[in-house]
Structures are given as structure tokens and as C-alpha cells.
Amino acid sequence: MSGLADTLQISAAGMQAQSDRLRVVAENIANADATATTPGGEPYRRKLVIFENVLNKELGMETVKVTKRPYDMSPFDKKFDPSHPAADAQGYVLHSNVNSIVEMMDMREARRGYEANLDVVQVSKAMLSQTIGLLNK
């Protein structure tokens, strides 16, 4: 039965990693329209999520974990808006480097990863229940 319990822990780690990823995607989407607040200032910078395999000593196996949340260093969008309070001397305002379409794709991928791990949990629970049922006969 230890194998099924280990499977549950591995899947739970995957669900946690995808949940963390989804939180970052939500933050990025919420700030997609952010602009600089002062001339020469920077707006919200898109965040990324880096997954790594981490040894779980208790299981003796590797599980996935979010280990870094770096910033996306791609350039900000520049838009001409001389009336904006954060416009530079040339009249340009910096806007966030978040692309909502990319974030939506990341959100769908995180959802699929979460659902796949959830399916593994459900199958493992069913197998565990069936095993217990057989042992009680």
C-alpha cells in the first residue's frame, strides 16, 4: 500500500506546483494594464515560474516544486501618451510587459497539469478503497 500512498504525495506535490503557477498567472493578468506611475519609472514586470525536481527524502523520490519566481526581463511596451502623468520627455509611457494571450495559455497549461495530477489522486484513492475492500472480505 505504500506505493499508492507515495503516488498520492507525488501527485499532491504536482498539484501544489501548478497551483503556485496559477497564482502567478493571476497576478500577471491582474496587472496586465499597469503603467509606470512616474516619468522614467517602471510598470509591473511579468513574473515567471520555474519548476525543478526536488528530492523528497521521505519518499526517496523526486517531486516537482516551484523553486524560483524570476521576473521576465523582456522590454516594456512604450505608448505615446503625452498627457499621462508618467510620460517621459518625448511623451511616451511604459506599460507592463504582460501579454494576456500568453498568460491565458499558461493558465490553461497549469489547469491541465493540475487536472492530470487530480486524476492520478482519484484513481489511487479508488485503488486503495478496492484494496481495503478486498482485505475486509
Side-chain angles (χ1 to χ4, degrees):
M1 283 221 234
S2 172
L4 290 176
D6 292 350
T7 302
L8 290 171
Q9 287 186 305
I10 292 167
S11 292
M15 289 168 52
Q16 181 62 52
Q18 294 299 346
S19 180
D20 289 349
R21 180 182 185 188
L22 195 53
R23 271 192 291 272
V24 170
V25 168
E27 184 179 334
N28 288 341
I29 290 172
N31 290 288
D33 294 327
T35 62
T37 55
T38 59
E42 288 191 353
Y44 177 84
R45 186 173 287 280
R46 179 177 185 248
K47 292 179 183 171
L48 304 170
V49 173
I50 306 295
F51 295 119
E52 285 186 22
N53 289 336
V54 177
L55 178 64
N56 181 322
K57 292 178 185 174
E58 182 182 321
L59 295 176
M61 297 179 197
E62 289 187 348
T63 59
V64 69
K65 187 174 181 181
V66 173
T67 56
K68 298 177 188 167
R69 291 178 183 84
Y71 290 102
D72 179 353
M73 298 311 289
S74 63
F76 294 115
D77 288 337
K78 253 183 160 177
K79 294 183 183 167
F80 185 71
D81 186 0
S83 64
H84 194 283
D88 63 14
Q90 292 80 33
Y92 287 94
V93 179
L94 293 178
H95 289 261
S96 176
N97 62 346
V98 174
N99 180 333
S100 294
I101 294 170
V102 171
E103 297 305 321
M104 294 301 287
M105 289 187 305
D106 281 352
M107 181 173 55
R108 285 188 185 126
E109 191 175 315
R111 183 178 131 203
R112 284 188 200 114
Y114 188 93
E115 287 173 347
N117 281 293
L118 187 58
D119 287 345
V120 170
V121 168
Q122 291 170 338
V123 168
S124 296
K125 277 180 54 181
M127 289 173 67
L128 195 54
S129 271
Q130 289 173 347
T131 302
I132 291 170
L134 288 172
L135 294 174
N136 287 334
K137 287 187 176 185

